């Protein structure tokens, strides 16, 4: 839908949809990891105690910080989350934002969302093609079953 929105000139729709994808990827990453603190699972009560609310209820910036702190995401993935969040915020939350670069920023948002989804499913994206990345899957997959611990 994000790509279709772009094609018909709905660049704000592209950015908005890509932002939602990034939020769901962050939640998926957290929910599919065995995250522990002091050997105990970080359940919803522990999340509320540590973060003031559950992970799902946190803002996206804080979610990305938490994922980084637990080692769930790489610095490159954190940068993709942050770029997409900044693009989304400036167009969807700020009245004064010029729309001169809207189409270009919609492409950046889409590429960041693709990068995040590919990282989660173990695929890479290069020059518009999506291909399995065996080395990345083996490297990241080796730690995927292990618990994230702080």
């Amino acid at each position: 839908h994000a790509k279709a929105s772009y094609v018909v000139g709905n660049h704000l729709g592209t950015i908005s949809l890509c932002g939602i994808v990034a939020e769901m990827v962050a939640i998926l990453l957290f929910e599919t990891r065995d995250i522990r603190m002091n050997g105990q699972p970080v359940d919803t009560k522990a999340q509320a105690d540590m973060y003031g609310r559950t992970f799902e209820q946190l803002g996206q910036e804080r979610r990305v910080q938490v994922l980084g702190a637990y080692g769930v995401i790489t610095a490159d993935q954190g940068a993709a989350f942050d770029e997409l969040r900044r693009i989304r915020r400036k167009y969807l939350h700020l009245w004064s934002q010029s729309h001169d670069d809207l189409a270009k920023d919609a492409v950046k948002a889409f590429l960041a969302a693709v990068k995040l989804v590919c990282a989660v499913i173990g695929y890479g994206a290069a020059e518009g093609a999506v291909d399995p990345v065996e080395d990345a899957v083996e490297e990241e997959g080796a730690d995927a079953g292990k618990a994230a611990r702080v």
Side-chain angles (χ1 to χ4, degrees):
H1 291 283
K3 189 184 278 190
S5 288
Y6 185 88
V7 169
V8 298
N10 182 6
H11 306 307
L12 288 175
T14 298
I15 291 168
S16 179
L17 290 167
C18 290
I20 292 169
V21 167
E23 289 188 11
M24 295 301 106
V25 166
I27 293 167
L28 176 68
L29 286 170
F30 187 84
E31 293 295 329
T32 58
R33 299 304 191 271
D34 181 23
I35 297 180
R36 297 176 174 270
M37 175 67 79
N38 298 324
Q40 299 300 314
V42 179
D43 59 15
T44 55
K45 181 184 180 326
Q47 291 168 35
D49 290 345
M50 288 190 297
Y51 319 133
R53 58 188 63 161
T54 65
F55 182 84
E56 186 175 10
Q57 294 170 332
L58 295 173
Q60 184 70 349
E61 184 172 15
R62 183 69 177 128
R63 285 185 198 130
V64 172
Q65 290 170 345
V66 169
L67 292 172
Y70 284 118
V72 174
I73 60 172
T74 65
D76 189 45
Q77 292 162 351
F81 274 117
D82 289 342
E83 178 178 33
L84 185 43
R85 182 184 42 76
R86 281 191 300 273
I87 291 169
R88 183 181 178 277
R89 182 178 182 276
K90 74 181 181 180
Y91 287 107
L92 300 179
H93 294 279
L94 302 177
W95 180 264
S96 61
Q97 176 61 41
S98 166
H99 285 203
D100 292 344
D101 293 327
L102 180 59
K104 195 181 325 180
D105 283 342
V107 171
K108 288 179 185 177
F110 184 79
L111 293 175
V114 168
K115 178 184 271 189
L116 293 171
V117 170
C118 286
V120 169
I121 63 173
Y123 276 67
E127 298 179 21
V130 177
D131 294 311
V133 180
E134 296 302 325
D135 293 339
V137 172
E138 289 175 14
E139 290 173 19
E140 292 181 27
D143 292 330
K146 296 180 182 175
R149 292 177 172 76
V150 172

